Amino acid sequence: MALTDTETAPLLYSGDNNNRYQAIPENLIQYSQRLNEDTEDEVICYGYKYDYERAILYYLCCVLSCGFLILVGYWRKDWRHSWTHVMCPLPEADSVFLKDLYNRWHPAEIKSLKDNLDSSSNGAHGNAKEITSETDSDPTKALGSGTEPLDVKYFKFRCLRYFWNRHDQSFTVLKGLDRDFTCREIYDCFSKGLNNHQVKRRLLLYGQNLIDVEVKSYFRLLFEEALNPFYVFQVFSVTLWFTDEYYYYAGCILFVSIVSITITLLQTRWNRVRLRDMVATVTDMKVFRNQSADPENTSSTEVVPGDIIIIPSCGMRMECDAVLVSGSCVVNESSLTGESNPMLKTPLISDGADADNIYRANLQKQHSLFAGTAVIQARSYSNSPVTAIVTRTGFYSLKGSLVRSILYPKPMNMKLYRDAIGFVACLAFLALIGLTYSIVTLVIDGVSPGEVTKRALDIITIAVPPALPAAVSIGTVYAANRLRLRGIFCINPSRINVSGKINLVCFDKTGTLTEDYLEFWGVNLVKQRRFGEILTDLKSSSSEKIAITMASCHSLTVLKGEACGDPLDTKMFQATGWTLQENVNDHKKYDTIVQATVTPPSCPNTEDPPEYGILKRYAFSSELKRMSVLIRKLGADNLELVMKGAPETIQQYCKRDTVPRDFLQVLESFTEQGYRVIGLAHKSIDSRISWRSAQKMSRQDLEENMTFLGLLVMQNKLKPETSGIIEELTRANIRTVMITGDNLKTAVNIARECGMILPNEKVVHLIANKPTIAEAEPTIIWKPLKNESSAAISESQYYRPPSTRIACTGETISIIQKYIPNFFEKLLIKGTIFARTSPKQKAEIVEGFQSLQYYVGMCGDGANDCGALNAAHAGISLSEAEASVASPFTSKIPNISCVSTMIREGRAALVTAFGVFKYMALYSIIQFTTVLILYWYVANLGDFQYLFIDLFIILSIALVMSRTAAFPEIARERPNSSLTSFETLSSLFTHVIVTVCSQTFVYFYLASHKWYVANVDSVNGSTYVECYETTTLYYFSSYQYIWIAVVFSKGPPFRLRIYTNWAYMFVLVSLLAITTVLVLHPGSAAVTFELKAIHDTTFKVCIILMGIAYFCICFLLEEFIVTAPYWRSLWSCIKVTRKKPKKFEIMETNISEEEWPPRIDSTSSNTAKKKAKYCFYESQI
């Protein structure tokens, strides 16, 4: 039973973002299994087994088709798999068929893994807990202390192994310590290391700890490249030309093909080698094994999950993911995040209530070391070494997942290429018509069968130009080079054409729209539940608790004598003037190990400044939106807890009688002015609670009943280029939105300041509150925000009519997605500011825009934006990370001007691709028409005539036609992006008519002269070359090839004028000059080109004039009729070119016709549709 795309394929992609797959048909459930559910790697796995009868039939058909079916099977491995295998239940399968999110099929062979390791002499019964699933039949039981022989089956897909679970009768992906282990279990089960038996078993299952990118041999690459359908057609064409004695042209095409294959082969291998050398690094490590106190020296390729490794004090490059269990590390994670600021890593929590939390590397990054990052220094708080437990290795690590995203990128479903395939199919159909015409005509004229066969097959190579794919891609190559010269690097050139269609751009705020750095502005103190003075100098006695909080509540570390780390923490700490020290040797004075100490600046005539020890840090995360630190004053009996974070979050943990009544009003006053605001809180812990007791308390319990101290105000300025680029995008009718983790009011102010929200536009804060009970509906609040902007509206901004903009937070988005999913799309249509969003939500918002059929661009700094950058059609990172890690585009320009450059180059590349495609299509039609007319008179073009046309005219024009640079401004008009649009088809159809009519007219003009003598019979069963028909049509068609290139070389508004492309102008002028010389005075070239002598000078001049007339007619048709804006408007009015509107356009129209705020139907999984509650604060407008 084979799957087909139309009948039994169960995974048809759905535009619904909440339900990406249709349900699996019931008749296929027994053959299938869903893997990696709700992830980008989600696939459905179908069981197949080899069928000998089907295989024999397939190979018999291969023989009968002279091997063509083998080629088809090579091109479509999924077809070949279905031809030789039959569907079966998974337990019986010897191979699987996987279908991914994008309806692509991937066959994979099921293999067996066996070993007979003798565990009796290796201490197999170690203390490490077995890494098992919920059943004892999980094959990964062998990872632990199991002593039975290993016999499991698995398949490998995208560098990951999926093992068969006999008990559950299903496949499961192999995992490391990221399999629901609590922090306490990691300490209890893996703190003594592994034994040799366990290491060998895990090496067998996981493989070596090496991200080994496969580099294919030159022979294999040559074989694969030569079997590309394009080159197979080239081989067919060249073989035909050699048999037809077109040695010069065939030799040139063969040479060009060999050079092209060689360059592609070398480039492909070089890219793979470069990627392998970048990621497949090896180093020596020290590992504790066999419960020995002495570490073993081993290669990093031999470590496995569960190993305990030593982090040297001088640092090292991490070759695996690990969790820190003792000591602390300073790590540079720029290779993964793009942020070069050193980050402090602390040991995993081992005691207390929080130790029972599940360890998640992505949520507990402050304790996790990732492969590819550099440990700058390691510091131990005792005489023991700094150690970490390996959690993931190889492709299972975070670095491995990033490399897999490079090797298996998300496909871009570019309509241009689908249309191109369809158009080539039309040319192939035209070739069949010409084939039939040629056979009939030449047979009637008495041409020999062999000559008829060659001439008929020659029609195929004329109608379908072999150089079409290469010519179309040249424009993208030029665009990539221009981007590189401007400091923008792209690892996937096909994204350049996609960027030309962008109509919505999402921006991060901090580091993207605004400067990376923050400036300390002041602290608004709270006294007696009232906001008081704003302090800019923290050395006064009244600011003691504030200063203590700011000096100790951070994750800074000392590197080369300076405090470094997160930019916000650095600026906050520098404002206090305190000193940070980490080399604390005397831990006895604090009765415990301290991570660091802070001391205030010494003042004259005062006692020694107090010293505070940092005992434990509860790290900041985007999910919690807060950070807290346990500290103790030297000599004091009690502990203290300091906290900072989002003000809205901090005030929830503070005693109500310490939070000012006007908290929200003051907070809004700062955020509306664009300031970054951080809440500060402090708590003196009861002296009866010892350090050991505090360790056992959960973080939630410790952080209760804090005292609110005030608001830390930081200033974040716009980058100078931001406003101009936003205005340019607005003028070009490209929508802009902001997705940030910052405060909503701050984001709104920045949006107003940069022009994303115009001064005359209203902003409504959408607030969704969770239902109080399971059966209740959510509450929706529409809160208009004050507009304190006094900025004038520039003339360019009149392009966008004023409207109501929606701003909301990530919490509101989560509630809407859960309770009112149907409203999420409306929110995206009207939303401009999405604040307090997590990295996952950023990616979800981008995907939501894509589901509305927007072409989405994303610009961020690469830290928390990686998911959104990779999800967007064209993501561009401003970070210093490698382009392959952060996003498809990476800019060395640290501002958003790169977005404008990317869009302009994308539009230029898109227009160029269309121009070259139309030119190659017309070249085919021109030559096709010429040959068909000549066949009627038993004539044909000569070898050198073909050579001059195909090599000197077409190839030289195709090479330089695409060099024209992008226009310096983004036009409001959008480029055409469909080869099947009325504009494109009418242009091609019109020029085809003009081409056929003009060549027909030229022939009749030739026939009208008295000296003309027509051919009537073949010459020895062959066709004529040196005759009036061939010479005349060769002259005229040469001009057609040149002039039509000029017609299709579009300039503004997407590209510069044609005369700015000096290489193109040189080629055009040279070709026109050479062709004119051949027409007027061919001389000795007449013999080489097999030209018939025409002594009528007037006739020759008329041929030149008719070429010029052809250009004028085509130019007028192209510029003023076919593609003119007013004609497009006319066709649209009479519904000739009216295309189906995009989903977002339909929704915009529907929303404009509804009342606003809209009526929302809330749909919960537990309840039927209900009306959500509304509150609308008119008084706040």
Side-chain angles (χ1 to χ4, degrees):
M1 180 179 180
L3 290 175
T4 65
D5 288 335
T6 56
E7 296 179 354
T8 59
L11 301 182
L12 301 177
Y13 183 75
S14 172
D16 186 358
N17 198 44
N18 298 320
N19 185 17
R20 306 186 73 170
Y21 282 108
Q22 293 184 0
I24 303 175
E26 291 185 4
N27 62 320
L28 297 180
I29 291 178
Q30 59 177 325
Y31 306 116
S32 62
Q33 176 195 350
R34 197 184 300 271
L35 300 172
N36 306 323
E37 196 165 357
D38 297 329
T39 69
E40 285 298 320
D41 292 327
E42 182 174 347
V43 292
I44 289 189
C45 170
Y46 293 91
Y48 276 81
K49 63 181 178 181
Y50 195 78
D51 188 288
Y52 289 97
E53 294 180 358
R54 296 168 69 94
I56 292 172
L57 181 61
Y58 165 69
Y59 290 117
L60 179 62
C61 293
C62 290
V63 174
L64 296 177
S65 64
C66 299
F68 179 73
L69 209 57
I70 296 178
L71 275 178
V72 175
Y74 174 78
W75 293 333
R76 293 298 301 268
K77 293 181 176 59
D78 52 339
W79 290 4
R80 184 181 64 187
H81 192 272
S82 63
W83 291 337
T84 58
H85 291 70
V86 63
M87 185 178 287
C88 68
L90 285 171
E92 305 171 11
D94 55 26
S95 64
V96 291
F97 222 8
L98 305 160
K99 191 172 187 181
D100 62 19
L101 286 168
Y102 310 103
N103 286 336
R104 297 179 300 180
W105 292 93
H106 310 271
E109 180 185 356
I110 294 179
K111 299 180 180 180
S112 178
L113 192 63
K114 300 180 180 180
D115 81 337
N116 293 295
L117 295 177
D118 182 12
S119 60
S120 60
S121 61
N122 292 318
H125 298 283
N127 293 321
K129 179 180 177 180
E130 299 174 4
I131 305 179
T132 63
S133 68
E134 297 175 357
T135 71
D136 293 335
S137 299
D138 191 336
T140 55
K141 178 177 181 179
L143 291 174
S145 57
T147 60
E148 67 282 359
L150 179 67
D151 185 6
V152 292
K153 62 179 183 179
Y154 73 98
F155 68 87
K156 194 173 183 179
F157 176 61
R158 293 181 176 174
C159 304
L160 300 183
R161 291 181 175 183
Y162 295 79
F163 283 88
W164 179 250
N165 186 317
R166 294 189 183 94
H167 184 274
D168 291 341
Q169 293 291 288
S170 63
F171 284 100
T172 180
V173 67
L174 184 63
K175 291 186 177 182
L177 302 193
D178 53 342
R179 183 180 289 196
D180 297 337
F181 279 90
T182 66
C183 302
R184 193 188 308 278
E185 286 176 334
I186 290 179
Y187 274 100
D188 294 342
C189 302
F190 301 98
S191 59
K192 294 186 179 180
L194 306 175
N195 55 56
N196 292 335
H197 172 76
Q198 293 168 328
V199 171
K200 291 179 181 179
R201 276 286 171 89
R202 300 187 187 199
L203 273 175
L204 185 64
L205 283 158
Y206 284 97
Q208 286 190 320
N209 174 34
L210 187 66
I211 303 176
D212 190 13
V213 177
E214 181 186 7
V215 178
K216 299 176 182 178
S217 65
Y218 286 108
F219 178 78
R220 183 177 174 185
L221 287 172
L222 177 62
F223 179 79
E224 292 178 354
E225 191 68 23
L227 290 183
N228 184 289
F230 164 67
Y231 288 115
V232 170
F233 185 65
Q234 286 277 39
V235 170
F236 165 76
S237 302
V238 169
T239 303
L240 176 63
W241 294 330
F242 270 118
T243 59
D244 201 22
E245 298 181 355
Y246 290 168
Y247 298 123
Y248 294 106
Y249 181 61
C252 289
I253 293 299
L254 182 61
F255 173 77
V256 171
S257 298
I258 292 174
V259 171
S260 177
I261 289 177
T262 303
I263 293 175
T264 303
L265 185 149
L266 293 175
Q267 184 71 24
T268 301
R269 183 175 169 83
W270 181 77
N271 287 337
R272 281 296 178 117
V273 170
R274 187 165 64 100
L275 179 61
R276 183 194 62 185
D277 293 343
M278 182 178 69
V279 300
T281 54
V282 180
T283 187
D284 291 330
M285 287 184 170
K286 290 186 176 182
V287 184
F288 286 109
R289 287 177 179 166
N290 299 313
Q291 302 186 27
S292 173
D294 298 323
E296 301 178 9
N297 289 320
T298 186
S299 170
S300 60
T301 60
E302 302 300 315
V303 299
V304 295
D307 264 330
I308 299 178
I309 60 174
I310 295 178
I311 311 296
S313 59
C314 60
M316 64 179 292
R317 179 182 176 87
M318 292 299 299
E319 302 297 344
C320 57
D321 288 356
V323 56
L324 197 62
V325 293
S326 69
S328 64
C329 295
V330 180
V331 183
N332 185 338
E333 296 183 335
S334 61
S335 62
L336 296 182
T337 67
E339 293 185 343
S340 57
N341 304 305
M343 305 300 294
L344 179 64
K345 302 289 185 174
T346 57
L348 186 68
I349 299 172
S350 61
D351 200 3
D354 290 335
D356 294 323
N357 294 333
I358 299 297
Y359 170 71
R360 294 281 185 267
N362 59 330
L363 298 180
Q364 294 167 306
K365 295 180 181 179
Q366 70 275 18
H367 310 306
S368 303
L369 305 174
F370 298 105
T373 60
V375 178
I376 302 173
Q377 69 178 21
R379 184 180 296 110
S380 175
Y381 302 126
S382 61
N383 294 327
S384 60
V386 178
T387 58
I389 297 176
V390 177
T391 56
R392 297 178 295 196
T393 59
F395 282 103
Y396 299 91
S397 65
L398 178 60
K399 179 182 176 182
S401 66
L402 293 174
V403 174
R404 287 193 301 113
S405 69
I406 300 170
L407 299 175
Y408 311 103
K410 175 183 176 182
M412 283 288 103
N413 196 10
M414 186 60 180
K415 192 173 184 295
L416 170 64
Y417 301 111
R418 298 201 312 270
D419 293 345
I421 293 174
F423 195 83
V424 169
C426 293
L427 291 178
F429 178 74
L430 185 65
L432 291 178
I433 296 177
L435 181 73
T436 305
Y437 167 85
S438 302
I439 293 173
V440 173
T441 302
L442 295 176
V443 169
I444 292 176
D445 290 332
V447 179
S448 64
E451 184 73 10
V452 170
T453 302
K454 289 188 290 186
R455 296 285 74 78
L457 293 177
D458 205 21
I459 284 292
I460 299 177
T461 65
I462 293 173
V464 185
L468 178 62
V472 172
S473 64
I474 291 175
T476 304
V477 175
Y478 284 128
N481 289 332
R482 289 194 296 267
L483 286 172
R484 189 178 298 109
L485 293 175
R486 291 175 174 266
I488 302 173
F489 300 89
C490 177
I491 62 168
N492 189 352
S494 64
R495 296 286 186 106
I496 297 177
N497 281 340
V498 178
S499 67
K501 293 200 65 180
I502 287 177
N503 49 18
L504 183 147
V505 182
C506 303
F507 292 98
D508 179 38
K509 186 184 78 68
T510 305
T512 304
L513 299 174
T514 62
E515 298 287 359
D516 290 309
Y517 58 85
L518 295 168
E519 293 292 343
F520 174 73
W521 186 82
V523 178
N524 198 348
L525 287 178
V526 172
K527 289 185 179 180
Q528 298 179 356
R529 208 179 178 185
R530 290 185 180 182
F531 282 106
E533 59 181 323
I534 296 178
L535 291 180
T536 56
D537 182 5
L538 301 178
K539 297 178 182 179
S540 61
S541 58
S542 61
S543 61
E544 180 181 359
K545 287 187 178 181
I546 284 284
I548 293 171
T549 302
M550 292 174 58
S552 57
C553 193
H554 54 71
S555 58
L556 299 179
T557 186
V558 177
L559 194 62
K560 296 181 180 179
E562 294 185 1
C564 56
D566 183 80
L568 187 148
D569 286 351
T570 303
K571 289 293 183 181
M572 179 185 70
F573 180 76
Q574 290 174 350
T576 64
W578 286 41
T579 303
L580 175 67
Q581 292 182 338
E582 288 185 320
N583 295 323
V584 183
N585 298 320
D586 186 8
H587 298 289
K588 294 182 179 179
K589 57 185 180 181
Y590 287 99
D591 296 329
T592 184
I593 296 175
V594 297
Q595 298 181 15
T597 61
V598 291
T599 54
S602 58
C603 298
N605 303 323
T606 60
E607 301 178 356
D608 292 338
E611 179 180 296
Y612 288 83
I614 296 177
L615 307 183
K616 187 174 184 179
R617 290 183 171 102
Y618 296 93
F620 176 87
S621 71
S622 56
E623 288 77 17
L624 299 178
K625 302 177 183 177
R626 69 185 189 276
M627 175 186 184
S628 55
V629 178
L630 264 176
I631 62 174
R632 171 180 282 171
K633 183 178 180 180
L634 183 61
D637 296 330
N638 67 303
L639 301 173
E640 299 177 50
L641 186 72
V642 292
M643 179 192 289
K644 70 174 174 62
E648 306 93 331
T649 302
I650 297 299
Q651 62 97 16
Q652 295 175 6
Y653 290 86
C654 294
K655 293 180 287 188
R656 294 179 60 88
D657 58 358
T658 65
V659 179
R661 294 182 179 87
D662 58 346
F663 169 81
L664 291 177
Q665 290 83 345
V666 174
L667 176 61
E668 288 179 3
S669 69
F670 284 122
T671 56
E672 286 172 356
Q673 298 176 65
Y675 291 112
R676 179 86 176 267
V677 185
I678 306 296
L680 302 175
H682 177 275
K683 176 182 179 181
S684 293
I685 299 177
D686 194 323
S687 59
R688 291 174 295 180
I689 299 177
S690 66
W691 162 239
R692 291 184 179 275
S693 300
Q695 278 187 304
K696 295 180 179 180
M697 296 176 64
S698 68
R699 178 176 180 176
Q700 188 78 18
D701 293 337
L702 277 174
E703 292 175 339
E704 289 181 348
N705 298 320
M706 303 288 292
T707 298
F708 189 77
L709 298 180
L711 298 174
L712 169 64
V713 183
M714 311 288 280
Q715 192 172 16
N716 194 199
K717 297 180 180 178
L718 271 182
K719 291 182 179 179
E721 302 82 5
T722 297
S723 297
I725 299 301
I726 295 297
E727 182 178 339
E728 182 182 7
L729 296 175
T730 301
R731 191 167 55 245
N733 196 28
I734 296 176
R735 184 182 167 192
T736 56
V737 300
M738 187 190 303
I739 311 176
T740 177
D742 207 346
N743 179 275
L744 183 139
K745 298 287 184 64
T746 302
V748 170
N749 180 272
I750 293 297
R752 288 194 183 279
E753 189 176 347
C754 70
M756 191 176 292
I757 297 175
L758 301 183
N760 62 334
E761 289 182 323
K762 296 179 181 179
V763 179
V764 176
H765 181 191
L766 172 63
I767 305 171
N769 294 325
K770 291 182 180 179
T772 55
I773 57 175
E775 296 294 326
E777 65 269 19
T779 301
I780 304 299
I781 301 174
W782 301 86
K783 183 179 180 181
L785 301 180
K786 296 178 182 178
N787 181 8
E788 298 183 357
S789 174
S790 58
I793 304 176
S794 64
E795 184 177 348
S796 63
Q797 290 172 330
Y798 281 116
Y799 282 109
R800 192 177 80 198
S803 62
T804 300
R805 302 289 167 182
I806 302 299
C808 66
T809 63
E811 182 180 2
T812 292
I813 292 173
S814 298
I815 295 172
I816 288 176
Q817 287 178 320
K818 182 177 181 180
Y819 296 99
I820 325 171
N822 295 332
F823 182 64
F824 181 62
E825 290 184 341
K826 290 186 177 181
L827 173 60
L828 294 178
I829 293 293
K830 299 295 291 184
T832 300
I833 305 297
F834 303 93
R836 295 294 190 210
T837 52
S838 65
K840 181 180 178 181
Q841 286 178 321
K842 290 183 178 183
E844 289 175 349
I845 291 171
V846 169
E847 291 173 350
F849 282 125
Q850 291 174 327
S851 69
L852 293 174
Q853 296 183 314
Y854 279 105
Y855 279 87
V856 184
M858 174 70 194
C859 183
D861 59 10
N864 293 322
D865 309 310
C866 290
L869 289 168
N870 287 318
H873 289 104
I876 183 164
S877 172
L878 306 184
S879 73
E880 297 178 359
E882 293 287 340
S884 58
V885 174
S887 65
F889 293 89
T890 299
S891 172
K892 287 189 175 181
I893 306 170
N895 58 68
I896 66 171
S897 62
C898 59
V899 175
S900 172
T901 303
M902 179 186 69
I903 294 175
R904 289 188 292 102
E905 289 293 349
R907 290 186 170 192
L910 193 60
V911 170
T912 298
F914 272 75
V916 173
F917 189 92
K918 289 164 65 175
Y919 174 69
M920 296 301 291
L922 257 295
Y923 144 66
S924 174
I925 295 299
I926 291 171
Q927 195 169 84
F928 183 76
T929 304
T930 301
V931 171
L932 290 187
I933 293 175
L934 292 178
Y935 281 1
W936 184 264
Y937 295 98
V938 204
N940 195 12
L941 294 172
D943 191 5
F944 270 93
Q945 292 173 0
Y946 275 121
L947 185 66
F948 182 78
I949 292 172
D950 294 333
L951 194 61
F952 289 94
I953 296 181
I954 304 303
L955 185 59
S956 58
I957 287 179
L959 286 175
V960 296
M961 184 181 185
S962 305
R963 287 189 73 256
T964 308
F967 199 69
E969 295 180 1
I970 305 178
R972 188 173 179 82
E973 178 185 353
R974 302 192 193 282
N976 179 29
S977 59
S978 174
L979 287 173
T980 59
S981 66
F982 178 81
E983 177 181 331
T984 303
L985 294 179
S986 61
S987 173
L988 285 172
F989 184 71
T990 302
H991 291 301
V992 167
I993 292 177
V994 173
T995 295
V996 174
C997 292
S998 59
Q999 289 201 24
T1000 305
F1001 176 79
V1002 168
Y1003 168 73
F1004 282 114
Y1005 178 70
L1006 169 67
S1008 66
H1009 289 75
K1010 296 180 180 180
W1011 44 262
Y1012 167 69
V1013 178
N1015 294 321
V1016 292
D1017 295 315
S1018 63
V1019 180
N1020 297 324
S1022 299
T1023 54
Y1024 284 96
V1025 173
E1026 192 174 346
C1027 61
Y1028 287 119
E1029 295 88 351
T1030 298
T1031 302
T1032 302
L1033 290 179
Y1034 167 71
Y1035 285 156
F1036 181 70
S1037 64
S1038 296
Y1039 282 115
Q1040 285 184 306
Y1041 299 127
I1042 300 170
W1043 287 124
I1044 201 66
V1046 178
V1047 172
F1048 288 148
S1049 298
K1050 296 285 186 178
F1054 306 115
R1055 301 198 306 171
L1056 294 176
R1057 298 287 182 185
I1058 185 176
Y1059 55 77
T1060 61
N1061 186 346
W1062 61 266
Y1064 190 28
M1065 292 301 298
F1066 174 79
V1067 169
L1068 289 175
V1069 172
S1070 299
L1071 290 175
L1072 284 172
I1074 294 172
T1075 303
T1076 302
V1077 170
L1078 283 175
V1079 172
L1080 296 178
H1081 188 68
S1084 59
V1087 178
T1088 305
F1089 282 83
E1090 301 179 78
L1091 299 174
K1092 180 76 172 180
I1094 299 177
H1095 303 289
D1096 190 342
T1097 305
T1098 303
F1099 176 80
K1100 296 180 180 180
V1101 172
C1102 288
I1103 292 294
I1104 298 174
L1105 293 176
M1106 281 189 283
I1108 297 174
Y1110 172 79
F1111 163 71
C1112 294
I1113 293 172
C1114 291
F1115 181 80
L1116 292 174
L1117 288 172
E1118 183 73 13
E1119 293 294 325
F1120 299 103
I1121 297 180
V1122 177
T1123 62
Y1126 51 83
W1127 280 106
R1128 286 202 298 267
S1129 301
L1130 176 61
W1131 300 135
S1132 179
C1133 291
I1134 61 178
K1135 298 184 179 182
V1136 174
T1137 65
R1138 183 168 295 176
K1139 59 183 180 181
K1140 183 179 179 180
K1142 303 289 187 183
K1143 186 175 180 179
F1144 71 87
E1145 294 173 334
I1146 297 173
M1147 293 193 65
E1148 285 175 348
T1149 302
N1150 294 339
I1151 289 176
S1152 65
E1153 296 173 355
E1154 296 176 357
E1155 59 175 325
W1156 193 261
R1159 296 297 176 185
I1160 304 176
D1161 288 333
S1162 61
T1163 306
S1164 173
S1165 59
N1166 301 323
T1167 60
K1169 291 186 176 181
K1170 300 179 180 180
K1171 294 293 182 180
K1173 296 179 181 178
Y1174 285 87
C1175 291
F1176 197 89
Y1177 296 103
E1178 297 286 352
S1179 60
Q1180 297 187 30
I1181 296 179

